[in-house]
Amino acid sequence: MRIALFATCIVDAMYPRVALATVRVLERLGHEVVFPPGQGCCSQMHVNSGYFDDALPVVRNHVKAFTAADYDVAVAPSGSCVASLGHQQPMIARAGGDEELAVAAAAVAGNTYELSQLLVDVLGVRDAAAQLGSWFPHRVTYHPSCHGMRLLRLGDRQKDLVASVGGLDLVELPDAEECCGFGGTFSFKNPDVSAAMAEEKIDNIVSTGAELCTGGDASCLLHLGGAMARRDSGPGTVHFAEILASTRENPLEVSGPVELSIPKSRGRGGCTSARSSAAGPASPASSSVSSHTTGGAR
């Protein structure tokens, strides 16, 4: 299967290793992963802040990038951004009087999966240890994001995949369904409330005795990781794609910066490969992804 990677802004800018981990997992299953050039933001931050007019060209850019590409399905390691594609983009197009764009946006959204959706529902992955060779001998707890739970209705897909990783000890998170407080621009507009929500979530994470907290949205993990760093206590955060990509031969290091070792690019030419887009030959710097990104990326 030919799978298009929607990297998302925050992964591009802050966690390019999550994009690399996503590519590794899918290639391990024998699929070709491509990176549609020109992709940028999904427009969620604009829409959530009420800037519909500003969101319209961002929606148009995303639809253009993904309708021009040749692929079977698209995937993003972000429940929040995938939810935005279906929940917001057609609405923004119609609010701007562009019904043709609304129909095209709905079509792109309908063929775009959050990573655990793709793995479980389309590719039939149920046992990460057996089917992916995933191995991560650490005590981990799991935070489900609000968009993943309430808009995509992911259920336990992410958590079950993490639980099936070899050597991993998954500990239940108390009040897991409670928001972490990020909420995109909410955390900027209401910082005191956002910080208080993060502190409550972190107290629950710490209570589990876990070494790491995982989840499926880099934005939530960034928010919680930053709050724990300010506390100078608590476990680190890591995206579940990185845990799935971790193997005995190439384990995810958890001392110091949490990251996989990144090999040099193996670009295949022609349509841009996801691996060569997500990591340059020397390092996984996000600038190598951004070089293919236009219009609205943040």
Side-chain angles (χ1 to χ4, degrees):
M1 184 180 291
R2 189 174 171 91
I3 302 172
L5 175 65
F6 172 34
T8 80
C9 294
I10 198 163
V11 168
D12 175 11
M14 303 298 294
Y15 295 103
R17 61 180 186 256
V18 172
L20 284 162
T22 300
V23 173
R24 282 189 175 183
V25 167
L26 296 174
E27 286 186 343
R28 200 175 294 163
L29 291 168
H31 302 286
E32 179 185 7
V33 185
V34 298
F35 185 86
Q39 63 175 277
C41 181
C42 68
S43 78
Q44 181 177 175
M45 70 180 95
H46 309 71
V47 179
N48 290 353
S49 299
Y51 297 111
F52 284 18
D53 290 343
D54 293 321
L56 185 59
V58 182
V59 172
R60 189 169 285 121
N61 180 77
H62 182 84
V63 172
K64 179 182 178 182
F66 279 84
T67 53
D70 176 22
Y71 61 93
D72 298 303
V73 296
V75 67
S78 168
S80 179
C81 295
V82 173
S84 177
L85 298 187
H87 179 65
Q88 295 179 336
Q89 287 202 353
M91 175 192 70
I92 291 301
R94 289 193 173 96
D98 194 336
E99 182 61 27
E100 183 178 354
L101 177 62
V103 172
V108 170
N111 202 32
T112 304
Y113 295 85
E114 180 274 334
L115 179 58
S116 71
Q117 283 182 319
L118 181 68
L119 290 173
V120 174
D121 299 348
V122 179
L123 303 181
V125 176
R126 297 289 193 281
D127 188 330
Q131 294 172 271
L132 299 174
S134 306
W135 183 78
F136 192 66
H138 298 280
R139 187 178 178 90
V140 176
T141 194
Y142 165 75
H143 163 66
S145 72
C146 294
H147 282 106
M149 283 191 298
R150 297 177 174 89
L151 288 178
L152 292 185
R153 301 191 181 279
L154 293 178
D156 291 331
R157 288 175 180 84
Q158 293 177 353
K159 185 171 76 169
D160 288 348
L161 286 170
V162 170
S164 70
V165 169
L168 187 144
D169 178 18
L170 182 65
V171 192
E172 290 291 333
L173 178 65
D175 297 325
E177 71 283 355
E178 296 295 325
C179 179
C180 71
F182 177 65
T185 54
F186 172 83
S187 60
F188 293 94
K189 295 177 179 178
N190 302 277
D192 293 339
V193 176
S194 174
M197 293 171 74
E199 288 300 313
E200 185 173 334
K201 175 67 68 170
I202 292 168
D203 285 342
N204 286 332
I205 292 171
V206 171
S207 76
T208 68
E211 299 172 63
L212 291 162
C213 176
T214 192
D217 272 284
S219 53
C220 298
L221 299 176
L222 177 70
H223 182 60
L224 291 172
M228 284 189 278
R230 287 191 296 274
R231 269 193 184 194
D232 197 26
S233 66
T237 59
V238 60
H239 195 283
F240 85 96
E242 297 176 87
I243 292 177
L244 296 184
S246 179
T247 64
R248 288 180 183 272
E249 297 74 25
N250 187 20
L252 180 70
E253 297 294 338
V254 297
S255 59
V258 178
E259 59 185 356
L260 294 164
S261 61
I262 305 299
K264 290 187 177 182
S265 169
R266 297 190 316 220
R268 289 184 284 272
C271 183
T272 308
S273 73
R275 184 182 294 276
S276 62
S277 297
S283 72
S286 64
S287 59
S288 54
V289 176
S290 298
S291 65
H292 298 280
T293 304
T294 61
R298 297 291 187 268

